[in-house]
Amino acid sequence: LAKTTQPISMDSYEGQEVNITCSHNNIATNDYITWYQQFPSQGPRFIIQGYKTKVTNEVASLFIPADRKSSTLSLPRVSLSDTAVYYCLVAFSGGYQKVTFGIGTKLQVIP
Amino acid sequence: DTGVSQNPRHKITKRGQNVTFRCDPISEHNRLYWYRQTLGQGPEFLTYFQNEAQLEKSRLLSDRFSAERPKGSFSTLEIQRTEQGDSAMYLCASSGTGNSPLHFGNGTRLTVT
């Protein structure tokens, strides 16, 4: 299973764009990259998933370079409600068996 | 889509007692997962079901832990002879096939006194 590395914490002011980068140097050909958001006392919530290049949905964008050894989650114009822990996961496209989350990145949005 | 439901939300028990948690996945999802999360850590994988078959078990899942998913629908996680180290948030997730993302419930917080 590909190991991921991401910053432990980040601070940002409201209204700014936030980019969180995750390293996954030993990603395999069939692995997908998925990001989750977790608020205190809640389960993680799916944000976005991608395989290569760029993926965008209504809440975030995911940038994946050609070598796929890293990925960047981009949150446009964050608000206080985006304060949460963000997890980067790499998992085999055939399923999520034994997927383990790292510590994640604790994002603190400052007014 | 009513989401993944877990009950109870909180459980306080005395050391040595048995506890059972229930998870109701999204109805069309055939994959179900149990995770455990302690403060400041990410969720740790415990076990995985595809339909009613338990296909993966973590070494974290000692013989005091047992999980079932009869008929491939809801699942239960039982902890026998609870210990203080079992205190954690127990999360259930479900997913469809292929690279479908996990959908988590809001967990059962267990406190062992």
Side-chain angles (χ1 to χ4, degrees), chain A residues 19-50:
Chain A
N19 295 311
I20 306 174
T21 296
C22 178
S23 296
H24 27 80
N25 290 320
N26 59 340
I27 188 169
T29 303
N30 292 329
D31 286 341
Y32 276 74
I33 300 153
T34 311
W35 285 79
Y36 290 83
Q37 174 192 57
Q38 187 176 28
F39 299 112
S41 298
Q42 293 187 22
R45 183 176 73 98
F46 169 77
I47 302 175
I48 197 167
Q49 178 178 270

Side-chain angles (χ1 to χ4, degrees), chain A residues 59-75:
Chain A
V59 298
S61 294
L62 179 60
F63 298 92
I64 305 168
D67 66 7
R68 305 200 325 123
K69 293 183 183 297
S70 67
S71 59
T72 298
L73 174 72
S74 181
L75 304 172

Side-chain angles (χ1 to χ4, degrees), chain A residues 8-106:
Chain A
I8 293 174
S9 65
M10 294 181 71
D11 292 338
S12 176
Y13 288 103
E14 268 192 298
Q16 289 190 330
E17 178 184 77
V18 171
N19 295 311
I20 306 174
T21 296
C22 178
S23 296
H24 27 80
N25 290 320
N26 59 340
I27 188 169
T29 303
N30 292 329
D31 286 341
Y32 276 74
I33 300 153
T34 311
W35 285 79
Y36 290 83
Q37 174 192 57
Q38 187 176 28
F39 299 112
S41 298
Q42 293 187 22
R45 183 176 73 98
F46 169 77
I47 302 175
I48 197 167
Q49 178 178 270
Y51 183 79
K52 62 181 179 181
T53 63
K54 177 183 174 182
V55 179
T56 297
N57 62 22
E58 63 276 9
V59 298
S61 294
L62 179 60
F63 298 92
I64 305 168
D67 66 7
R68 305 200 325 123
K69 293 183 183 297
S70 67
S71 59
T72 298
L73 174 72
S74 181
L75 304 172
R77 298 179 299 282
V78 293
S79 64
L80 295 176
S81 63
D82 292 316
T83 294
V85 178
Y86 292 82
Y87 296 98
C88 162
L89 270 72
V90 172
F92 173 56
S93 63
Y96 280 74
Q97 297 89 324
K98 295 172 73 172
V99 168
T100 298
F101 291 65
I103 294 175
T105 297
K106 183 171 173 55

Side-chain angles (χ1 to χ4, degrees), chain B residues 29-46:
Chain B
H29 286 176
N30 62 345
R31 292 176 171 171
L32 187 146
Y33 309 79
W34 285 98
Y35 282 80
R36 180 172 67 188
Q37 186 173 27
T38 54
L39 198 62
Q41 302 296 315
E44 298 173 294
F45 171 84
L46 291 179

Side-chain angles (χ1 to χ4, degrees), chain B residues 42-88:
Chain B
E44 298 173 294
F45 171 84
L46 291 179
T47 190
Y48 157 70
F49 289 85
Q50 182 156 321
N51 299 311
E52 66 276 10
Q54 188 174 19
L55 299 185
E56 290 283 352
K57 287 175 65 173
S58 165
R59 282 172 288 181
L60 293 173
L61 214 64
S62 76
D63 56 7
R64 295 185 298 106
F65 288 69
S66 62
E68 294 182 343
R69 191 183 182 197
K71 303 178 184 177
S73 55
F74 71 93
S75 176
T76 58
L77 178 67
E78 180 184 19
I79 309 175
Q80 296 182 327
R81 305 181 302 281
T82 52
E83 302 172 355
Q84 288 187 320
D86 297 331
S87 295

